[in-house]
Amino acid sequence: MAAAQRIVIENCSIATVDADDTEYASGYLVLAGNRIEALGAGPAPEGLANVVRRIDATGHLATPGLVNTHHHFYQWITRGLATDHNLFDWLVALYPIWARIDEPMAYTAARGSLAMMARGGVTTAMDHHYVYPRGTGDLSGAIIRAARETGVRFTLARGSMDRGEKDGGLPPDFAVESLEGALAATEATVKEHHDPSFDAMTQVAVAPCSPFSVSTELLRDAAGLARRLGVRLHTHGSETVEEERFCHELFGMGPTDYFESTGWLGEDVWMAHCVHMNDSDIAAFARTGTGVAHCPSSNARLAAGIARVPDMLAAGVPVGLGVDGTASNESGELHTELRNALLINRLGAHKEAALNARQVLRLGTHGGARVLGRAAETGSLEAGKLADVVLWKMDTLAHASIADPVTALVFGAAAPVTASFVNGRQIVADGRLLTVDEDAVARATRDEARRLARIAAQG
Ligand SMILES: [Zn+2]
């Protein structure tokens, strides 16, 4: 086998986000094939063979690529609607539109969502997709194809809903699947697309949507299915006071107790939001190793509340960051969530140091990799891990006068991405995607948003 080709990156600040938070004021990285081979302070070692590229990264900060742990790609073509609604009213307004999506729409919306994240430093993405109208094609396959074309590492959380209005749920009956249909389709998706390898580009998780759109049987059977197939579990949990009320009325207990009763707490589970958690809920997550996808902008947009992230971290709960769907976070960017997580949690805790810059960088990288079950592979810059690396440009007007680059990245304006590598392959150069034509994607998303609006208006 031919020796791996090397890329040498030099003269940058490096925040490794390893277990000791090692940082270098000026250092180097050597990428060999799809791995990080070496990194450290000062210039790269001399005499390396097979160096195909040398990058002088003066004025840059190198970090692990960002990891997004919660999203709904299809919402890219329903942004800017129901902008003054809480979660349940927003859902009721949007379900009838979402129920009309088809395969070309799902593909185009996924390309838009992925492009927006990737150009902002995301190297590992996820999509929680749970709208599968009958007879509309292979939506999961289309989403995975979009992720492959964009070049990011990807987890498809194959969602489902089977509790329609007639069963006391929130979604309209025509937008839900049957219990058996949802389970069979989820198993087929895992078998076709899930890659358990160390350097997998595509993984699949089992992801019924939420307590108010899914039957107790589907939750329980989905947990059994995921464990039989050896894949992870994902859902929405404890997002709003209305959800809490719904759980008490229907199940006689709060969301966390309900999840525990259906087999949904464990190291192989991560949940979006977890805003309304009491001390015993947080303790249950910590005891079982259940992970959280913290989505501060979406929680603010829908007035859901502020998750107790500092308390979760103190208890040892694994926490990552999520954009959430872009119908509730129109920006669609993850790097701005670092700043929002820090600011919102300071407001929530009434404490000026509730979260600091290095903690939120960890949430957006290593924390995210941990909740996706991939912390051994990505999420920090360490020799032997996958070459998922971002170079942020910190020497322009926006950041140059801030001495500490991690402070500049988190507290400052969204920093431009000079280069982003995924699996050793560069997918962003000078803020532009190399893998897809952003302008063509923009036009296609506008056209599909209009087509969906037209079809939905016809009823
Ligand atoms: Zn969500």
Side-chain angles (χ1 to χ4, degrees):
M1 202 174 82
Q5 296 190 324
R6 292 193 170 92
I7 297 171
V8 175
I9 302 167
E10 290 181 293
N11 306 319
C12 50
S13 307
I14 302 175
T16 67
V17 198
D18 66 8
D20 303 320
D21 263 332
T22 307
E23 294 180 10
Y24 303 105
S26 178
Y28 70 92
L29 286 148
V30 181
L31 314 184
N34 71 349
R35 305 290 178 100
I36 298 166
E37 183 178 51
L39 71 168
E46 287 180 29
L48 291 168
N50 281 329
V51 174
V52 293
R53 221 175 131 200
R54 223 168 242 286
I55 299 170
D56 178 1
T58 302
H60 287 78
L61 168 67
T63 70
L66 302 182
V67 178
N68 188 36
T69 62
H70 187 66
H71 208 306
H72 311 289
F73 288 176
Y74 72 92
Q75 293 180 8
W76 192 261
I77 55 172
T78 63
R79 295 195 295 160
L81 304 176
T83 48
D84 305 316
H85 293 46
N86 74 15
L87 176 72
F88 278 14
D89 295 341
W90 173 86
L91 285 170
V92 168
L94 289 171
Y95 277 138
I97 303 173
W98 293 340
R100 310 307 296 268
I101 62 164
D102 58 23
E103 185 180 320
M105 289 176 194
Y107 170 72
T108 298
R111 277 166 70 86
S113 295
L114 285 156
M116 194 67 199
M117 281 186 292
R119 71 205 283 279
V122 168
T123 57
T124 299
M126 75 79 75
D127 182 20
H128 184 192
H129 189 84
Y130 52 83
V131 184
Y132 289 91
R134 256 185 294 277
T136 49
D138 178 12
L139 303 192
S140 296
I143 294 161
I144 287 169
R145 184 155 47 91
R148 291 209 174 114
E149 288 166 356
T150 311
V152 298
R153 212 174 287 291
F154 182 56
T155 296
L156 176 70
R158 204 292 180 183
S160 47
M161 303 191 290
D162 74 333
R163 187 192 287 276
E165 280 169 336
K166 73 171 163 45
D167 301 316
L170 210 58
D173 292 321
F174 63 84
V176 304
E177 295 176 279
S178 69
L179 168 70
E180 300 76 21
L183 288 167
T186 302
E187 179 163 3
T189 304
V190 172
K191 287 188 168 154
E192 186 176 352
H193 296 291
H194 180 73
D195 176 1
S197 316
F198 182 88
D199 55 2
M201 292 301 288
T202 308
Q203 296 202 329
V204 180
V206 174
C209 186
S210 66
F212 50 83
S213 61
V214 169
S215 68
T216 305
E217 295 72 31
L218 179 52
L219 270 183
R220 213 173 262 136
D221 292 355
L225 174 69
R227 285 167 184 141
R228 176 159 63 78
L229 299 175
V231 298
R232 296 178 78 74
L233 283 160
H234 179 63
T235 192
H236 294 94
S238 307
E239 183 172 358
T240 63
V241 286
E242 290 84 5
E243 177 192 331
E244 206 174 3
R245 202 174 305 134
F246 179 96
C247 287
H248 276 288
E249 277 170 16
L250 247 76
F251 316 124
M253 60 185 107
T256 299
D257 291 335
Y258 177 57
F259 283 126
E260 184 147 43
S261 76
T262 51
W264 268 78
L265 296 188
E267 278 181 358
D268 55 352
V269 181
W270 86 105
M271 285 187 213
H273 307 306
C274 303
V275 172
H276 297 278
M277 302 260 280
N278 60 31
D279 290 346
S280 93
D281 296 335
I282 291 175
F285 270 54
R287 175 169 34 81
T288 55
T290 308
V292 171
H294 176 47
C295 306
S297 293
S298 170
N299 296 155
R301 156 78 147 87
L302 297 171
I306 300 173
R308 296 168 57 190
V309 173
D311 296 332
M312 293 175 189
L313 295 179
V317 175
V319 183
L321 292 181
V323 167
D324 203 0
T326 49
S328 65
N329 177 5
E330 275 76 1
S331 91
E333 297 179 316
L334 190 63
H335 57 323
T336 50
E337 295 300 297
L338 301 179
R339 184 166 182 263
N340 289 348
L342 181 143
L343 296 178
I344 286 173
N345 279 283
R346 288 184 177 185
L347 284 176
H350 299 286
K351 252 192 208 151
E352 66 276 16
L355 282 180
N356 64 43
R358 282 163 176 83
Q359 281 177 304
V360 293
L361 177 60
R362 176 170 293 278
L363 294 182
T365 54
H366 188 271
R370 190 173 165 204
V371 305
L372 295 183
R374 308 208 63 178
E377 304 152 67
T378 188
S380 59
L381 302 179
E382 297 179 69
K385 289 186 105 171
L386 297 166
D388 297 349
V389 184
V390 175
L391 294 178
W392 308 91
K393 188 164 175 55
M394 307 309 284
D395 61 356
T396 67
L397 175 64
H399 304 91
S401 59
I402 303 175
D404 174 51
V406 175
T407 296
L409 181 73
V410 173
F411 283 83
V417 173
T418 295
S420 176
F421 295 86
V422 184
N423 219 37
R425 172 193 184 203
Q426 187 172 357
I427 65 164
V428 177
D430 298 326
R432 296 288 290 182
L433 279 165
L434 299 172
T435 45
V436 297
D437 178 344
E438 281 177 38
D439 300 329
V441 171
R443 282 192 299 276
T445 55
R446 181 199 54 200
D447 293 348
E448 289 295 63
R450 286 179 181 167
R451 186 164 71 88
L452 177 56
R454 207 162 47 235
I455 292 171
Q458 286 160 3

